Amino acid sequence: MPTIAAPHLFTRADYHKMVVSGVLTEDDRVELIEGEIVEKMPVGPSHSACVKRLNQFFAGLAGGRALVSVQDPLAIGDYSEPEPDLALLIPRDDFYAGSHPQASEVLLLIEVSDTSIVYDRRTKLPLYAANGIPQVWIVDLQRSEIAVYSEPANGRYAIETVFKRGQAIPLDVFPGEEFPLEASGIY
């Protein structure tokens, strides 16, 4: 009976060694997801504009209550280092200079999806839920809506709420504040 070789899963330490040795560079559009080095989708103008709008909105609102992180790595376990489009982080005096933020330091995570919606929902969302990220938004540029996922348990989110034009998302991280969908520019 033939033997099937198991794929090699890279750790975050392996991944960083590849950067130090030059195998991977800052210009490579990749991220480490559950031990696999995954090429990121190209970013179109509408995706970039949406991320900029989200950044502007949350930077203006956060003050000292959260740090806004844009397309920066998160240290999730030993085998994943995704780079979400935007994350609100627990403030730290060093601004995370000593290490990448971990899942436990994420208040809100946002992925903007143009052509990556299936990947974001099937691969990244369960990763975020399994690691206890309290709330994830997936901005669907094709459908002009934002799906909000909350209450992670057993590798999935117990609650999914979809917001559309004319609605506002209550901001659990900033009680009493809302995010009007028009601020995302998805229309």
Side-chain angles (χ1 to χ4, degrees), residues 1-186:
M1 177 181 271
T3 308
I4 298 174
H8 176 79
L9 298 180
F10 295 101
T11 65
R12 289 183 49 251
D14 296 334
Y15 186 62
H16 287 269
K17 286 177 189 172
M18 286 186 242
V19 172
V20 170
S21 68
V23 171
L24 294 173
T25 70
E26 286 185 2
D27 295 331
D28 290 319
R29 293 201 30 83
V30 296
E31 58 189 350
L32 183 66
I33 305 294
E34 297 185 350
E36 296 183 15
I37 298 172
V38 179
E39 189 171 359
K40 292 168 53 174
M41 300 295 269
V43 175
S46 58
H47 182 283
S48 293
C50 183
V51 172
K52 288 176 182 75
R53 286 183 175 106
L54 290 165
N55 181 30
Q56 184 175 22
F57 177 85
F58 283 108
L61 186 62
R65 300 180 289 177
L67 293 177
V68 180
S69 176
V70 178
Q71 298 173 337
D72 291 329
L74 293 178
I76 298 185
D78 290 334
Y79 293 94
S80 294
E81 198 168 289
E83 297 179 7
D85 289 305
L86 190 133
L88 295 181
L89 307 173
I90 294 171
R92 270 187 14 194
D93 290 341
D94 73 344
F95 286 79
Y96 296 90
S99 65
H100 292 309
Q102 298 193 21
S104 61
E105 297 168 304
V106 177
L107 302 168
L108 170 66
L109 185 144
I110 302 174
E111 292 284 1
V112 176
S113 299
D114 193 357
T115 57
S116 63
I117 192 74
V118 172
Y119 179 74
D120 288 339
R121 284 191 180 139
R122 290 187 184 165
T123 303
K124 291 179 115 179
L125 191 62
L127 173 67
Y128 298 147
N131 286 278
I133 293 177
Q135 191 171 84
V136 174
W137 295 6
I138 296 182
V139 179
D140 186 339
L141 296 175
Q142 297 294 319
R143 299 177 109 179
S144 299
E145 63 187 28
I146 298 176
V148 175
Y149 301 87
S150 58
E151 296 190 24
N154 303 317
R156 57 184 298 272
Y157 286 94
I159 297 175
E160 174 188 359
T161 308
V162 177
F163 293 85
K164 299 179 184 251
R165 179 187 298 269
Q167 294 182 300
I169 301 171
L171 296 174
D172 294 345
V173 68
F174 304 129
E177 301 285 352
E178 293 183 326
F179 177 81
L181 260 62
E182 283 71 19
S184 67
I186 61 176

